[in-house]
Amino acid sequence: MSTYVNEPAVGMMNEAYFKSRSELIEWVNSLLSLRIGKVEECATGAIHCQIVDSLFPRKIKMSKVNFGAKYDHEYAVNFKLVQDAFTKLGVKKIVPIQKLIKAKYQDNLEFLQWMYQFFQCNDSGEGYDAEARRAKSKGVSKMMKNKENQSGALNRPKKASAYRKPISSKGSRIMKRNSGGSSQKIEEYKKKVEEYERNMKIVLKERDFYFHKIVAMEKICLSAEHKESGLSNELRKIMYDDLDADEETKQ
């Protein structure tokens, strides 16, 4: 029995690429009952394997997924499982394995944004027992142990500080004078922060306004009626233009 897969047409202006790091991490943790803190933790490929498993059970053998992967070649094996699953499902997306296994933030963020949109397009809404499915994988106990060690290190009480001499009355007077100046500086910084926040709200409002305009243009350009027109091609060229690449060319 074939499986129908809805592959998202995710252009650079798609809202998926405006999902923040914190939103994506929260989504992964909620979906898979995990406690990751960084996007780079997805570089092992194991998390992406399980995202695919949550959508299409048995398309990836969870017994082959290695959650305890520590080296690049082990990460690559996990990502190859994702690519094989895409091939079976007829998904045309090419997984940029060599980029992702380097654990660079931007590469992993963009792929996780694509995976988020892929999930949204294919989620059936059925329940998924993430922990039970993950228990079938390799290296789960090692992964949990590492997490516990990290958590223990963070919660371990600090050693008592060395004995210090009490501050003299002269020293306390100096501190009081300094504290008066410090409180004034704090007030100045608070005002600056408030001003930055007001300006940021204005900038974000403008960004959202133009973003929605560009998304509307993109939809028209990608429609069957206009997709092959010369004007549509020119507009898409402008929308997808890589500014960083242009700067490098000029230099």
Side-chain angles (χ1 to χ4, degrees), residues 10-71:
V10 185
M12 286 307 295
M13 290 298 114
N14 189 283
E15 61 180 303
Y17 286 115
F18 288 83
K19 280 288 172 189
S20 68
R21 174 191 64 82
S22 56
E23 287 175 306
L24 292 168
I25 288 172
E26 187 180 345
W27 167 66
V28 168
N29 287 337
S30 174
L31 174 66
L32 304 181
S33 300
L34 287 169
R35 288 183 298 169
I36 69 167
K38 295 181 179 180
V39 167
E40 293 90 330
E41 289 180 61
C42 296
T44 67
I47 285 170
H48 292 296
C49 286
Q50 194 165 11
I51 292 172
V52 174
D53 182 72
S54 72
L55 292 170
F56 308 103
R58 294 179 293 280
K59 290 300 177 184
I60 288 181
K61 283 188 178 180
M62 290 302 289
S63 58
K64 290 186 176 181
V65 179
N66 185 2
F67 272 90
K70 289 177 64 179
Y71 304 104

Side-chain angles (χ1 to χ4, degrees), residues 5 42 164 187 196:
V5 181
C42 296
R164 294 179 182 175
E187 286 302 315
Y196 290 146

Side-chain angles (χ1 to χ4, degrees), residues 162-176:
Y163 171 76
R164 294 179 182 175
K165 289 182 180 179
I167 298 171
S168 66
S169 58
K170 184 181 176 182
S172 67
R173 286 197 300 272
I174 293 170
M175 286 181 70
K176 282 179 182 176

Side-chain angles (χ1 to χ4, degrees), residues 8-15 17-18 110 211 213-223 227 231-246:
V10 185
M12 286 307 295
M13 290 298 114
N14 189 283
E15 61 180 303
Y17 286 115
F18 288 83
E110 288 178 6
F211 166 69
K213 295 288 184 188
I214 292 171
V215 168
M217 286 172 58
E218 185 184 41
K219 284 180 180 176
I220 294 170
C221 290
L222 294 174
S223 65
K227 193 173 183 180
L231 179 60
S232 174
N233 290 332
E234 288 300 316
L235 286 173
R236 274 184 288 165
K237 199 180 290 182
I238 293 168
M239 284 189 290
Y240 302 153
D241 189 30
D242 188 340
L243 294 177
D244 291 336
D246 283 353

Side-chain angles (χ1 to χ4, degrees), residues 59-116:
K59 290 300 177 184
I60 288 181
K61 283 188 178 180
M62 290 302 289
S63 58
K64 290 186 176 181
V65 179
N66 185 2
F67 272 90
K70 289 177 64 179
Y71 304 104
D72 288 5
H73 67 274
E74 293 175 319
Y75 300 171
V77 171
N78 283 336
F79 277 116
K80 282 174 183 174
L81 293 174
V82 175
Q83 187 67 77
D84 289 345
F86 282 173
T87 302
K88 290 174 190 173
L89 293 164
V91 176
K92 295 176 182 177
K93 177 71 174 176
I94 302 298
V95 181
I97 297 174
Q98 293 307 314
K99 280 187 177 181
L100 296 174
I101 62 176
K102 292 175 182 175
K104 295 286 180 66
Y105 170 75
Q106 192 61 37
D107 294 328
N108 280 275
L109 176 68
E110 288 178 6
F111 189 69
L112 188 57
Q113 286 168 331
W114 187 93
M115 286 293 285
Y116 172 83

